Amino acid sequence: MPSVPGEVAKVGVMALGRVHLSVTDARDLAEGALRGIGFDHDEARIVANHVIDAALCGYEYSGLAKILNIVDSEHFKLPRRPMKVLRETDVSIAFDGGNNVGMLSLFYAAEATVKKAAAHGIALISVNDAWMSGRSAYYVETIANAGLVAIHTASSSRQVAPLGGARAMLGTNPLAIAVPSSRGPIVLDIGTSAYMMTDVMLRERLSELLPEGVAIGPDGKPTRDPTLARRGALLPFGGYKGFGLALMIQALGLLAGSGSEQESDYGYLFIAFRPDLLGIADVFSRQVTQLIDRIKATPRQAGIDEIRIPSERAFRSRERALREGLTFDRLVFDALVALRERRG
């Protein structure tokens, strides 16, 4: 059982080194660990909310383990500054992220996106000099919950080889899109790499192998070893299509300010607009719902129980985990407790 006083009554220790916590206790642990490494109360709450939601949605590698990646990052060791506005118009803001973790700077950028789009119909918001932004779905879902259509691109550090290449030159570069419907947002969030580096880092931490065909080592040869993959490169998903998307998102990152004085590949872009610029918002929301219903009613191939819509699995996981709590690796739990104890 856990050795930290007061934890025994709260934690269920499961087989194979797994730990079960209520959502409230998991959020308290996350916030405590973040305060232990120097974040103030509001910052810890914002980042904890992000990683807890990732865990609720079934993405363990982007959940509580993400806090450990923050501490391990070279960016975390450098001074950080308050975010500042570099350029602003009625419909746009270019932010300097101040070397803050992206889960903070992009939270504020998403808030600014909603405010600009609500006031002027459309918003174009960029952020540079920020790192480790977490799940892109988290931001576009928030924006779509305000009744807006949202698109988000994120160019990141060089971890992915171009198609046919033997060295990392592109980021994992996710693309996220969310649209409102009469039953809540529909969210697509895809990385352009065959595997996500955050998942590689968790596999490395837990001494687990990668799937076949997602990475190469520093010698350019295929590998399942996460340590060799981190020294080598991930591969793009879907061959030329994934590579093409990654390249275009990297280019949009330049527009957002990556590759500038900070010599950083991180560049984040939000595009959002009110549906009523093009039609009646309520009608659009109903039409999206009707579209989803038609898709799900498609005759299915043999052996297929359900046609699942993007974000549907994650939303179901969230509903279930809110009732049942979260389960994650004991090594992650112990490390977070140790970070929390740094306070004072």
Side-chain angles (χ1 to χ4, degrees):
M1 297 296 286
S3 58
V4 179
E7 293 294 332
V8 175
K10 297 181 180 180
V11 180
V13 181
M14 307 176 70
L16 301 177
R18 305 286 286 173
V19 169
H20 184 82
L21 291 178
S22 71
V23 176
T24 297
D25 288 341
R27 183 175 281 106
D28 287 346
L29 176 61
E31 290 190 25
L34 289 160
R35 290 195 299 270
I37 59 176
F39 290 100
D40 67 28
H41 178 82
D42 287 340
E43 293 171 337
R45 174 183 52 81
I46 290 168
V47 177
N49 284 343
H50 189 121
V51 300
I52 290 297
D53 189 70
L56 290 170
C57 290
Y59 299 100
E60 186 172 346
Y61 58 87
S62 281
L64 291 155
K66 194 84 169 181
I67 296 171
L68 307 182
N69 297 348
I70 293 175
V71 180
D72 290 343
S73 172
E74 290 299 316
H75 297 278
F76 181 69
K77 300 175 176 63
L78 300 174
R80 57 191 183 107
R81 313 174 304 279
M83 286 180 66
K84 68 178 181 180
V85 174
L86 299 174
R87 183 189 299 266
E88 183 172 9
T89 72
D90 285 346
V91 298
S92 65
I93 303 177
F95 281 111
D96 175 344
N99 190 45
N100 283 284
V101 65
M103 287 177 279
L104 272 180
S105 54
L106 268 66
F107 171 85
Y108 294 120
E111 283 192 330
T113 302
V114 171
K115 184 175 180 180
K116 285 279 189 187
H120 302 286
I122 191 167
L124 182 64
I125 307 294
S126 70
V127 181
N128 67 10
D129 197 15
W131 48 277
M132 200 178 296
S133 60
R135 288 181 66 239
S136 297
Y138 185 79
Y139 307 111
V140 294
E141 183 183 354
T142 298
I143 296 169
N145 273 326
L148 303 167
V149 174
I151 302 169
H152 174 50
T153 63
S155 70
S156 55
S157 58
R158 299 176 191 185
Q159 300 170 338
V160 180
L163 189 66
R167 180 177 299 175
M169 296 298 292
L170 299 165
T172 56
N173 291 9
L175 167 68
I177 303 172
V179 295
S181 82
S182 59
R183 291 199 291 259
I186 307 299
V187 181
L188 172 71
D189 180 6
I190 57 170
T192 54
S193 56
Y195 209 67
M196 296 309 294
M197 184 54 73
T198 308
D199 206 351
V200 173
M201 295 169 72
L202 181 60
R203 295 277 184 130
E204 184 179 32
R205 199 179 296 280
L206 302 180
S207 300
E208 297 177 355
L209 294 176
L210 302 178
E212 296 278 3
V214 302
I216 55 177
D219 58 0
K221 296 179 180 179
T223 185
R224 295 186 64 197
D225 185 327
T227 300
L228 291 179
R230 291 239 286 158
R231 292 169 49 202
L234 294 171
L235 300 175
F237 91 89
Y240 190 78
K241 293 181 180 180
F243 163 56
L245 275 175
L247 177 62
M248 299 309 289
I249 291 171
Q250 203 83 34
L252 290 174
L254 296 174
L255 182 63
S258 70
S260 58
E261 294 178 1
Q262 293 83 12
E263 293 300 324
S264 168
D265 291 306
Y266 292 98
Y268 308 95
L269 191 64
F270 288 101
I271 304 168
F273 60 90
R274 291 198 321 252
D276 63 8
L277 292 179
L278 302 173
I280 301 172
D282 289 347
V283 171
F284 172 68
S285 294
R286 290 197 302 271
Q287 288 175 333
V288 172
T289 300
Q290 292 165 1
L291 170 63
I292 297 306
D293 289 343
R294 290 199 302 272
I295 295 297
K296 291 187 72 64
T298 304
R300 298 186 294 276
Q301 298 176 18
I304 302 299
D305 295 328
E306 179 188 25
I307 295 173
R308 200 172 67 198
I309 301 302
S311 71
E312 192 169 18
R313 183 213 57 80
F315 291 170
R316 289 175 181 173
S317 174
R318 180 193 282 159
E319 291 176 2
R320 183 176 61 254
L322 282 169
R323 297 190 306 268
E324 300 175 0
L326 295 171
T327 300
F328 57 102
D329 198 272
R330 173 63 186 263
L331 292 176
V332 174
F333 171 80
D334 289 342
L336 291 173
V337 169
L339 294 180
R340 185 182 61 188
E341 295 305 304
R342 287 188 184 184
R343 283 183 294 170

